[in-house]
Short mmCIF file of all heavy atoms in Angstrom, two decimals:
data_model
loop_
_atom_site.label_atom_id
_atom_site.label_comp_id
_atom_site.label_asym_id
_atom_site.label_seq_id
_atom_site.Cartn_x
_atom_site.Cartn_y
_atom_site.Cartn_z
N GLY Q 38 -7.28 -1.70 0.71
CA GLY Q 38 -5.88 -1.56 0.99
C GLY Q 38 -5.12 -0.97 -0.19
O GLY Q 38 -5.67 -0.80 -1.27
N LEU Q 39 -3.86 -0.66 -0.01
CA LEU Q 39 -3.04 -0.04 -1.09
C LEU Q 39 -1.72 -0.92 -1.18
O LEU Q 39 -1.05 -1.17 -0.22
CB LEU Q 39 -2.64 1.36 -0.69
CG LEU Q 39 -3.77 2.36 -0.60
CD1 LEU Q 39 -3.29 3.63 0.05
CD2 LEU Q 39 -4.33 2.60 -2.08
N VAL Q 40 -1.47 -1.41 -2.47
CA VAL Q 40 -0.23 -2.09 -2.77
C VAL Q 40 0.92 -1.09 -2.63
O VAL Q 40 0.88 -0.03 -3.34
CB VAL Q 40 -0.28 -2.73 -4.12
CG1 VAL Q 40 1.05 -3.49 -4.49
CG2 VAL Q 40 -1.43 -3.65 -4.21
N LEU Q 41 1.87 -1.39 -1.87
CA LEU Q 41 3.01 -0.42 -1.63
C LEU Q 41 4.23 -0.68 -2.44
O LEU Q 41 5.08 0.25 -2.54
CB LEU Q 41 3.46 -0.53 -0.16
CG LEU Q 41 2.34 -0.19 0.87
CD1 LEU Q 41 2.89 -0.51 2.27
CD2 LEU Q 41 1.85 1.22 0.73
N ASN Q 42 4.35 -1.83 -3.11
CA ASN Q 42 5.62 -2.19 -3.72
C ASN Q 42 5.47 -2.42 -5.24
O ASN Q 42 6.19 -3.25 -5.83
CB ASN Q 42 6.29 -3.31 -3.02
CG ASN Q 42 5.48 -4.63 -3.12
OD1 ASN Q 42 4.21 -4.55 -3.21
ND2 ASN Q 42 6.10 -5.75 -3.08
N ARG Q 43 4.60 -1.60 -5.91
CA ARG Q 43 4.51 -1.78 -7.39
C ARG Q 43 4.68 -0.42 -8.02
O ARG Q 43 3.73 0.29 -8.29
CB ARG Q 43 3.05 -2.20 -7.74
CG ARG Q 43 2.68 -3.65 -7.37
CD ARG Q 43 3.07 -4.55 -8.55
NE ARG Q 43 2.54 -5.87 -8.28
CZ ARG Q 43 3.23 -6.84 -7.57
NH1 ARG Q 43 4.36 -6.47 -6.98
NH2 ARG Q 43 2.66 -8.01 -7.43
N PRO Q 44 5.97 -0.04 -8.24
CA PRO Q 44 6.11 1.28 -9.06
C PRO Q 44 5.64 1.11 -10.40
O PRO Q 44 5.73 0.11 -11.02
CB PRO Q 44 7.65 1.44 -8.89
CG PRO Q 44 8.26 0.14 -8.53
CD PRO Q 44 7.14 -0.70 -7.90
N SER Q 45 5.05 2.24 -10.94
CA SER Q 45 4.46 2.19 -12.27
C SER Q 45 5.51 2.37 -13.34
O SER Q 45 5.27 2.13 -14.53
CB SER Q 45 3.35 3.23 -12.39
OG SER Q 45 3.92 4.53 -12.39
N GLY Q 46 6.62 2.91 -12.91
CA GLY Q 46 7.70 3.34 -13.90
C GLY Q 46 7.57 4.72 -14.39
O GLY Q 46 8.39 5.21 -15.18
N ALA Q 47 6.52 5.44 -14.03
CA ALA Q 47 6.31 6.83 -14.41
C ALA Q 47 6.43 7.74 -13.15
O ALA Q 47 6.07 7.29 -12.00
CB ALA Q 47 4.97 7.00 -15.01
N PRO Q 48 6.83 8.98 -13.33
CA PRO Q 48 6.92 9.90 -12.18
C PRO Q 48 5.38 10.31 -11.93
O PRO Q 48 4.57 10.45 -12.87
CB PRO Q 48 7.67 11.09 -12.67
CG PRO Q 48 7.69 10.94 -14.16
CD PRO Q 48 7.45 9.53 -14.56
N ALA Q 49 5.10 10.46 -10.63
CA ALA Q 49 3.69 10.83 -10.21
C ALA Q 49 3.27 12.11 -10.93
O ALA Q 49 2.14 12.27 -11.29
CB ALA Q 49 3.58 10.90 -8.70
N SER Q 50 4.22 13.06 -11.09
CA SER Q 50 3.96 14.38 -11.62
C SER Q 50 3.43 14.24 -13.07
O SER Q 50 2.77 15.15 -13.53
CB SER Q 50 5.08 15.33 -11.57
OG SER Q 50 6.18 14.81 -12.17
N ALA Q 51 3.94 13.19 -13.74
CA ALA Q 51 3.49 13.11 -15.21
C ALA Q 51 2.11 12.52 -15.37
O ALA Q 51 1.43 12.67 -16.34
CB ALA Q 51 4.48 12.07 -15.89
N VAL Q 52 1.61 11.98 -14.30
CA VAL Q 52 0.26 11.38 -14.34
C VAL Q 52 -0.76 12.20 -13.63
O VAL Q 52 -2.00 12.18 -13.93
CB VAL Q 52 0.32 9.90 -13.78
CG1 VAL Q 52 -1.03 9.27 -13.76
CG2 VAL Q 52 1.33 9.07 -14.62
#
Side-chain angles (χ1 to χ4, degrees):
L39 295 165
V40 178
L41 299 174
N42 61 332
R43 291 268 188 277
S45 70
S50 60
V52 179

